[in-house]
Amino acid sequence: MFVLVEMVDTVRIPPWSFQAQLNEAVAEELNKKLANKVVYNVGLCICLYDVTKLEDSYIFPGDGASHTKVHFRYVVFHPFPDEVLVGKIKYCSQEGVHVTMGFFDDILIPPESLQQPAKFDEAEQVWLWEYETDEGAHDLYMDQGEEIRFRVTDEVFVDTSPTGPATAEPDPKAQPGQAAPPPPPAEESGEKKEAPYTLIGTICEPGLGLLSWWNN
Amino acid sequence: MEVKNANAAMLSNYEVFKLLTDLKEQRKDSGKSKHSVAQQDLNTIMYETLKYLSKTPCSRQSPEIVKKFLTIMLPHKLTKAEKLQLLNHRPQTAVEIQLMVEESEERLSEEQIEELIHTLTGVLPGDPEQENAAGADVEMDEGGEQS
């Protein structure tokens, strides 16, 4: 689920932080910059693991702050393909079942990856599995808040860095390592904001789906 | 900013859990900038991740348990990713093992899968509430964990 990512960055420490130890000031700045943010093609950054190398600090004319090149390792949420994860059902829609893990929200299980045959109940806005046994068909509902085990099949990174004022289309030149803030989890805004990092999952295998389906 | 290696190492849930708990203790002790707007993202992600991880088996693990687990897993010849999933999820049924171990029908016989489940439940500590409930219901079985 989590990986260690080696990164290099120049950290700017403002003069009012000079009383702190360099290591602590650097750690604080790095966490301020990266924690809870998605880095394009890398994953959701959680927190600083350690600093491997601190190069010399420089002060440039016109700016009283010190600039230090730092080599560090960061803990990043980036499940590997086909990894099995457990989350909670956030809500269901026509697009599929939306799953959340608390710290990461944008997980979608599209209708074709649900246990088949599946049906969408419009009245209750919930997906259900029409489970056939010898005794007859049971409708297993995928209710909100239920714990669900799924397998990661795909991941989608979207570069949500700001575009220039003249162009309406997003800049195709992807910059590796560009941090972009994820959309706030519970906010309902007018325009649809694209999630910078989405996971596509499946529950179309024995053992996957609601935990309650498989616990004896 | 430059990403030198996007996949330098895989971390088990326990390692991340320990890191975050230690970081939380550290920030609680120093107490200075915890509430500033700038640290809000770190606070949010730490809180949510700890909340998620504390409900998984990793919250009951320790470095000795992880080491013992890896030593015991050596003869089974599983890949790193498979062992990591077993460590993080602590599967208790054959169906779960088949999900995490690729081509488990060809690589492991039924007895080996049963043996794997017993080893896992023996080495990795489980949820004490869950086990007490299970032990109370099922008396015919060999009996669950002795907590």
Side-chain angles (χ1 to χ4, degrees):
Chain A
M1 216 188 301
F2 299 102
V3 291
L4 218 51
V5 178
E6 281 167 17
M7 301 195 239
V8 184
D9 196 12
T10 307
V11 175
R12 178 185 182 270
I13 301 181
W16 48 88
S17 302
F18 280 176
Q19 85 281 4
Q21 289 290 315
L22 180 62
N23 280 43
E24 284 171 22
V26 160
E28 196 179 308
E29 286 298 316
L30 286 174
N31 277 328
K32 207 173 1 179
K33 178 171 179 178
L34 292 173
N36 205 15
K37 305 241 173 32
V38 171
V39 173
Y40 187 64
N41 280 343
V42 171
L44 173 68
C45 296
I46 309 284
C47 72
L48 181 70
Y49 185 74
D50 64 4
V51 171
T52 46
K53 185 167 160 195
L54 277 172
E55 297 189 21
D56 292 334
S57 304
Y58 294 91
I59 297 185
F60 297 110
D63 184 6
S66 80
H67 295 79
T68 319
K69 195 157 172 193
V70 186
H71 299 244
F72 59 97
R73 293 189 289 188
Y74 219 85
V75 177
V76 174
F77 171 69
H78 189 197
F80 52 86
D82 290 339
E83 184 170 356
V84 175
L85 297 174
V86 175
K88 279 209 169 103
I89 296 185
K90 199 162 72 166
Y91 64 93
C92 296
S93 75
Q94 291 284 7
E95 300 165 343
V97 179
H98 298 254
V99 180
T100 174
M101 289 171 77
F103 60 95
F104 186 73
D105 261 4
D106 304 303
I107 304 169
L108 177 68
I109 304 181
E112 54 271 15
S113 305
L114 297 173
Q115 293 271 13
Q116 299 300 334
K119 204 170 68 164
F120 186 59
D121 185 336
E122 286 290 345
E124 299 192 30
Q125 289 287 301
V126 69
W127 279 96
L128 52 97
W129 180 22
E130 291 166 321
Y131 182 56
E132 292 263 344
T133 60
D134 304 321
E135 294 133 8
H138 295 275
D139 279 347
L140 297 170
Y141 281 81
M142 304 184 68
D143 294 318
Q144 211 175 48
E146 289 286 342
E147 292 202 305
I148 181 170
R149 190 182 296 129
F150 62 97
R151 189 194 287 283
V152 175
T153 50
D154 201 9
E155 61 188 16
V156 182
F157 280 102
V158 176
D159 192 1
T160 54
S161 40
T163 57
T167 46
E169 277 157 69
D171 198 337
K173 200 169 22 134
Q175 286 136 319
Q178 183 100 14
E187 193 186 83
E188 296 295 296
S189 56
E191 338 77 50
K192 196 122 198 275
K193 272 195 273 197
E194 272 233 73
Y197 179 34
T198 318
L199 286 176
I200 312 288
T202 177
I203 54 166
C204 202
E205 271 174 67
L208 296 178
L210 264 60
L211 295 189
S212 53
W213 294 349
W214 304 97
N215 288 346
N216 295 4
Chain B
M1 190 174 87
E2 200 194 326
V3 177
K4 280 259 169 262
N5 188 347
N7 218 326
M10 282 164 51
L11 293 172
S12 69
N13 286 9
Y14 167 69
E15 290 175 272
V16 178
F17 180 73
K18 176 116 196 320
L19 183 72
L20 290 174
T21 346
D22 289 346
L23 190 59
K24 195 166 98 165
E25 282 305 308
Q26 213 179 55
R27 282 158 67 73
K28 207 162 39 167
D29 291 336
S30 74
K32 39 173 190 133
S33 59
K34 203 162 47 128
H35 299 289
S36 73
V37 173
Q39 297 292 324
Q40 199 43 47
D41 275 326
L42 180 63
N43 291 344
T44 312
I45 193 77
M46 272 176 63
Y47 169 74
E48 294 285 353
T49 314
L50 276 173
K51 196 163 90 167
Y52 176 83
L53 290 176
S54 54
K55 299 212 204 87
T56 64
C58 80
S59 56
R60 292 173 286 273
Q61 291 166 1
S62 73
E64 297 80 33
I65 293 181
V66 176
K67 205 153 99 177
K68 196 165 152 203
F69 168 79
L70 288 172
T71 330
I72 292 189
M73 285 292 130
L74 274 174
H76 292 274
K77 300 213 196 321
L78 298 170
T79 67
K80 194 152 72 155
E82 289 167 352
K83 283 188 277 197
L84 186 62
Q85 287 195 85
L86 294 179
L87 181 64
N88 286 343
H89 285 262
R90 190 182 181 262
Q92 296 174 292
T93 62
V95 151
E96 289 172 74
I97 302 245
Q98 277 159 8
L99 277 179
M100 296 173 197
V101 177
E102 248 177 279
E103 295 177 8
S104 52
E105 301 93 46
E106 290 152 27
R107 286 159 65 189
L108 300 168
S109 67
E110 269 194 45
E111 301 93 53
Q112 281 180 307
I113 293 187
E114 277 300 316
E115 193 203 314
L116 195 53
I117 297 176
H118 279 287
T119 322
L120 283 171
T121 41
V123 174
L124 303 174
D127 188 352
E129 290 172 3
Q130 211 182 52
E131 254 120 49
N132 282 339
D137 305 326
V138 186
E139 291 182 74
M140 301 179 291
D141 225 338
E142 315 161 36
E145 297 282 302
Q146 309 298 323
S147 37

